Structures are given as structure tokens and as C-alpha cells.
Amino acid sequence: MADDLLVDERRARLMVLDQGPGGDGQVRTRVRFTELDSQGNAVGEPRELSLEGEEVYIDALVIKFEDSFVTAGDALKGKALLLFRRIFTDRRRPADGDVLDREGQMPQSYAAERAPTAFERELWARFWELANDPEEAQRRGVRALHGEAVSTRLRKDRVYTITLRSTGELAIQAGQ
């Protein structure tokens, strides 16, 4: 696979605004979650959230295309797609997490960059159906559709970046 086609794009920034004991004695972490476009610019309004605990999980839905499309730099299928589903902590059940993007809809970060294609709209609208029909997904050049979560233990006054590699790997890293 050509190294220049393995691109990591910043897709969100998570800034820790405050962290300390809450009224119940548990650690509370206040964060600002900002979705980013492929150039790293903010998309939509940042969301401020108060989370119970310090270990945070960013849950996403990912669509990964066949490697041949990625290595060819295909205009439509040359990089994985991502929808930020929700954010939760080790002290909160995923189902009780804060919703970031709505399932079944085009993620706001892609819609802000350009008008979504009919192909992309269909993939998001039929996500779980295609995830359970590998032959149909393969006919569309899709290698995998699934949920994926990254996590880290947050520290006060740090900024974390969530990136997506063109092949579909999700990562979260602390910045300087």
C-alpha cells in the first residue's frame, strides 16, 4: 500500500476545560467536543459536556472501503467514513452517553465539506442493514461497517485529537 495514501485526518478535538471532585465525591470532567473537517476547521457548534469520571470513550460508526480503492486514491471510496455516535465514560453506560451525531444521517463534518453523494447518503441510511449483509456491502466496495470506540484517561487543561486513517483506524491522542 502506498504510504502517501495512508492519511490520518483530524476529525474532532476534545478539550478538557475543568476536572475535579463533584458533589458526590466522584471525579467530574467538563469537556468541549468539536467536530472538524478534513482541514482541521471546526464544523458546527462545539458542545460542552459534563462527564462523570475521567476515562472517556468516543463511540463512532465507521465505513471502511476495500484497500484497492484506498491505494488507488478513488474519489468516492478512497478513504474511510466516520460518524461520531456518542461520548460516555467508564462510569456511565454507553446507552446513557451523550449523542454526538444522529445514526442514519450524513455526519455533519462531511456535509459541511461538500454536498453528500447519493452513494454516501445510502450507506449511512442503510448502515446496519449493510453491516449484516456482507455480499451487498462488498458489491458497494465496502470492506467493513461497524461501531468502534477509542478511549483515554483525560487530564485537566489537555487537548486531545481524534483522527481517522484513510483505511479506517480510529485513534485518540493527547496534544501538547
Side-chain angles (χ1 to χ4, degrees):
M1 190 175 296
D3 288 340
D4 57 336
L5 296 173
L6 296 179
V7 177
D8 289 326
E9 288 185 351
R10 294 185 335 171
R11 299 314 282 176
R13 181 175 48 245
L14 187 67
M15 180 180 293
V16 180
L17 302 172
D18 193 30
Q19 189 173 55
D24 55 3
Q26 297 291 326
V27 173
R28 298 222 42 99
T29 304
R30 195 167 54 88
V31 299
R32 179 180 299 129
F33 180 87
T34 307
E35 280 199 63
L36 305 172
D37 64 17
S38 59
Q39 273 67 59
N41 301 312
V43 174
E45 290 297 314
R47 298 196 44 203
E48 288 197 14
L49 306 159
S50 182
L51 306 171
E52 219 178 278
E54 58 187 319
E55 189 174 328
V56 69
Y57 292 78
I58 308 292
D59 182 25
L61 298 180
V62 182
I63 300 173
K64 300 176 182 181
F65 294 101
E66 295 292 343
D67 289 344
S68 59
F69 293 110
V70 176
T71 58
D74 187 272
L76 192 59
K77 304 173 188 174
K79 61 183 177 178
L81 302 175
L82 169 78
L83 178 140
F84 286 112
R85 188 174 180 194
R86 60 190 166 203
I87 185 170
F88 58 95
T89 69
D90 59 334
R91 303 211 179 264
R92 194 171 185 192
R93 294 178 334 124
D96 296 331
D98 291 291
V99 173
L100 298 172
D101 273 337
R102 299 272 175 219
E103 284 186 50
Q105 296 179 0
M106 187 76 178
Q108 66 175 346
S109 62
Y110 297 110
E113 291 177 29
R114 58 178 169 69
T117 65
F119 175 73
E120 291 167 319
R121 284 193 307 271
E122 181 192 19
L123 289 179
W124 289 117
R126 298 182 59 204
F127 184 90
W128 291 116
E129 178 186 340
L130 293 170
N132 286 291
D133 189 344
E135 288 100 20
E136 189 60 31
Q138 187 176 32
R139 276 194 282 284
R140 288 170 168 68
V142 174
R143 177 170 54 94
L145 301 97
H146 57 81
E148 186 169 334
V150 291
S151 67
T152 193
R153 192 162 286 172
L154 300 177
R155 295 293 178 250
K156 187 176 178 177
D157 298 325
R158 297 297 306 249
V159 177
Y160 299 82
T161 302
I162 296 100
T163 58
L164 179 69
R165 181 164 273 210
S166 54
T167 51
E169 294 79 27
L170 195 59
I172 185 170
Q173 296 175 303
Q176 300 302 329

